[in-house]
Amino acid sequence: MESPIADYSGLASAIIAGLALLLSLVALVLGEIRNARQKTFVETQHELNERLLARELQSVQASNKADMGAKLIKMGKSNYRVKVWNQGEATARNVNIRIPADTSILTEREIEDKFPMEFMERHQSVELIAFVHMQTARKQAIEIVWDDDDAQGKSKTVYLTF
């Protein structure tokens, strides 16, 4: 007859083996969960790096571009000026203004006195005397032409309104 201790040792071995198997399965599941989280973290980090690189590239490209603008401003009761400025990051070179035939608020003499400008730094501006009267159309177009580090012969049509 076998001793009762032998029966318990076989049962204890089976329980210990079962617990070891259960512990191994828990460790395996937790490891898979950790690996999934790590993979998500790596993908997110990669996406953020791509976005940061794209933003940096846009910043470098913007630093090579000038962006010209113009606006009609009222000074006093009946005096008007056309303010032309560079709102871009780069210096604009060879800045010129072209006036369509139907634009009547700027004179050729006023434009010839100040343009072409050899260069216009960032936030630099120039003002032109505008001649506004009762028969003047409420919307006037001017075309600004310039060169910058990005390209030659850029142009922008600006509509002046009052």
Side-chain angles (χ1 to χ4, degrees), residues 4 27 31 36 50 63-64 98 103 106 114 122 144 152 156-158:
E50 290 293 322
S63 69
N64 292 332
R98 296 181 187 152
T103 300
L106 295 172
K114 297 181 180 175
R122 179 181 184 200
I144 307 169
Q152 304 288 318
K156 182 178 190 178
T157 300
V158 179

Side-chain angles (χ1 to χ4, degrees), residues 12-23:
S13 295
I15 291 174
I16 290 172
L19 288 175
L21 179 64
L22 183 64
L23 186 61

Side-chain angles (χ1 to χ4, degrees), residues 30-157:
L30 290 177
E32 288 299 317
I33 291 172
R34 183 178 46 95
N35 287 343
R37 286 182 181 167
Q38 183 70 21
K39 183 179 177 185
T40 303
F41 175 74
V42 168
E43 288 171 354
T44 303
Q45 188 176 17
H46 180 70
E47 182 181 338
L48 288 173
N49 285 341
E50 290 293 322
R51 287 184 181 184
L52 183 62
L53 184 62
R55 184 183 295 165
E56 190 65 30
L57 183 60
Q58 284 179 337
S59 175
V60 167
Q61 289 173 343
S63 69
N64 292 332
K65 293 181 182 180
D67 185 15
M68 302 302 295
K71 184 175 184 177
L72 183 68
I73 52 177
K74 187 173 185 178
M75 302 183 76
K77 193 170 187 175
S78 61
N79 293 328
Y80 289 89
R81 302 278 190 269
V82 173
K83 185 174 186 174
V84 179
W85 71 91
N86 177 6
Q87 57 195 8
E89 297 288 325
T91 300
R93 294 181 306 277
N94 198 23
V95 180
N96 210 346
I97 293 181
R98 296 181 187 152
I99 305 295
D102 59 343
T103 300
S104 61
I105 63 171
L106 295 172
T107 64
E108 287 292 324
R109 172 133 174 111
E110 182 69 12
I111 294 169
E112 289 172 2
D113 285 348
K114 297 181 180 175
F115 290 95
M117 289 190 68
E118 289 72 22
F119 63 90
M120 190 176 284
E121 298 285 337
R122 179 181 184 200
H123 299 300
Q124 185 179 357
S125 65
V126 64
E127 290 185 3
L128 303 166
I129 297 172
F131 299 98
V132 177
H133 49 81
M134 294 298 287
Q135 287 78 28
T136 303
R138 295 280 183 207
K139 184 167 125 179
Q140 304 276 323
I142 64 169
E143 182 182 14
I144 307 169
V145 181
W146 74 94
D147 301 330
D148 60 21
D149 294 338
D150 185 52
Q152 304 288 318
K154 287 186 170 183
S155 69
K156 182 178 190 178
T157 300

